[in-house]
Structure formats: C-alpha cells, structure tokens
Amino acid sequence: MKKLVYIVAILAIVCVSCEIGSRNTAEKEGEDTLATVESTELDETKEVRGQVGDGSSMNMLELVTEQLDTLNIEIPGALVAGGVKVGDEVDVIYTKEYGSLTSSIAINVTALQHLWTQRSSQGTQSIEISPKGVAATYNMPNIEYDHWSILNGRLLLHSPQKAGVESSGYTDTFDILMLTADILVLGTENHQSKFWKEN
C-alpha cells in the first residue's frame, strides 16, 4: 500500500512539473511573437539620396540608391520639388510602415543645381548651386557661400571659415518652397526669396 501511495505521489509531481514547463514554454513563445509584431508596427523614417529609375510613375518613385538598392516609394499627389525625370538625382525623406514606403518630402537635386538670380537694390544678385556640393554667390554683399547640402528636406548654404574672422563659418537653412524648371523660392521663418534660373 505504501508503494502504491509513493508511486501516485511521484506521478502527481511529474504531471505538475510537466504542466508548469509547458506553460512557461507557451508564455515564452507568446512573448517572442508579441515582440515581433510590435517591432513590425513601428514607423521608420529615413532620408536617402539616389537616381530616378525608369520604373517611376505619377504616384510612385523608383529610386536607385547610392548603394544600388532599388526602392519603390509612394509619392502622394506626385509632389517632388523640381519634378521627376529618369536619371535625375533625388533626395527623399520616406516613412516605412507595414512594409510600404511613403514619401513626405522629395527634392530633385539635379533641378536644384543651377545659377539662380534675383533682383536686388544694386540690380541683381545670384546664388550658384553646383554639383558635388559646391556653392558660390555673386553681387551679394556680406554673404558668401562656398558649399551646400540637403538635410531633412531643407537646403543648407554654408559660409567658409576664415582665419581670424568671427562671423565666418556660419550655415543658413532654407525651406524649398518651390522648385520648377525656371523658379526657385527659398523660405526662412520670416522671409521668402524668389529666384529665376540663368541659362
């Protein structure tokens, strides 16, 4: 009789430990599954530079990145400052959500690279935006830019650092309010500047 009680007690302990083990395994599996689901739901925003591919359409931009990756980015309302032309260089800010890429800002960098002129009190003044980040100014008193960049969808114009000159080495940041084949409008918090393209 004692042997029978002893065997029943052992069996009960084994059953309970098996149930606890399987519950722990199920909980761990549930945690892993939940963590995976949560990570795929997170939005991911990136800025990327690349060339417009021939698979682009009115609402979809095919972008071949500098790393030779091909991205298909949805462009709501076909909003690309400077337009879309196959082979042009474009800077895009996009959000990845549930596997789809959607652009919030897209700038045609090739269309931006020109000599842009505006009227001034002395006649005209110009900013030249050249390839490889080179910039120049003409007839602009107290303003001198030597290079440019795009960051977060904005145009940054940089002044060179000069030895012994405290006011040198600054950066001016502009929103690109309009960019067409002939017109560039740059904006700051308090001011807008309209330029036309010099051929």
Side-chain angles (χ1 to χ4, degrees), residues 13-51:
I13 291 169
V14 169
C15 287
V16 169
S17 62
C18 286
E19 186 179 336
I20 290 170
S22 64
R23 190 184 310 145
N24 287 341
T25 304
E27 284 174 2
K28 284 181 183 174
E29 286 175 0
E31 285 172 6
D32 292 344
T33 305
L34 183 61
T36 304
V37 169
E38 285 178 353
S39 66
T40 58
E41 288 178 358
L42 293 175
D43 293 351
E44 183 181 9
T45 301
K46 288 187 176 181
E47 184 167 15
V48 66
R49 180 80 60 91
Q51 286 189 328

Side-chain angles (χ1 to χ4, degrees), residues 2 6-7 21 23 37 43 45 61 75 94 107 116 135 137 144 151 161-163 167 185:
K2 284 184 180 179
Y6 181 71
I7 290 170
R23 190 184 310 145
V37 169
D43 293 351
T45 301
L61 177 67
I75 307 173
Y94 68 87
I107 299 164
W116 299 97
T137 54
E144 180 184 2
L151 181 65
Q161 177 70 50
K162 294 180 180 178
S167 61
V185 180

Side-chain angles (χ1 to χ4, degrees), residues 117-126 138-143:
T117 301
Q118 66 178 178
R119 300 195 189 287
S120 71
S121 56
Q122 289 81 30
T124 61
Q125 58 187 21
S126 303
Y138 304 98
N139 301 324
M140 298 183 97
N142 305 317
I143 298 176

Side-chain angles (χ1 to χ4, degrees), residues 79-84 89 106-114 116 129 150 155 175-186 195 197:
L79 293 175
V80 178
V84 176
E89 189 177 17
I107 299 164
N108 187 321
V109 176
T110 302
L112 184 64
Q113 296 175 18
H114 287 287
W116 299 97
I129 299 172
I150 291 179
L155 175 64
D175 291 314
I176 299 174
L177 302 177
M178 178 185 291
L179 175 60
T180 68
D182 303 307
I183 301 293
L184 171 65
V185 180
L186 300 178
F195 298 83
K197 185 191 290 183

Side-chain angles (χ1 to χ4, degrees), residues 57-61 73-84 103 106:
S57 63
M58 182 178 284
N59 295 313
M60 188 66 68
L61 177 67
I73 304 171
E74 185 181 345
I75 307 173
L79 293 175
V80 178
V84 176
S103 169

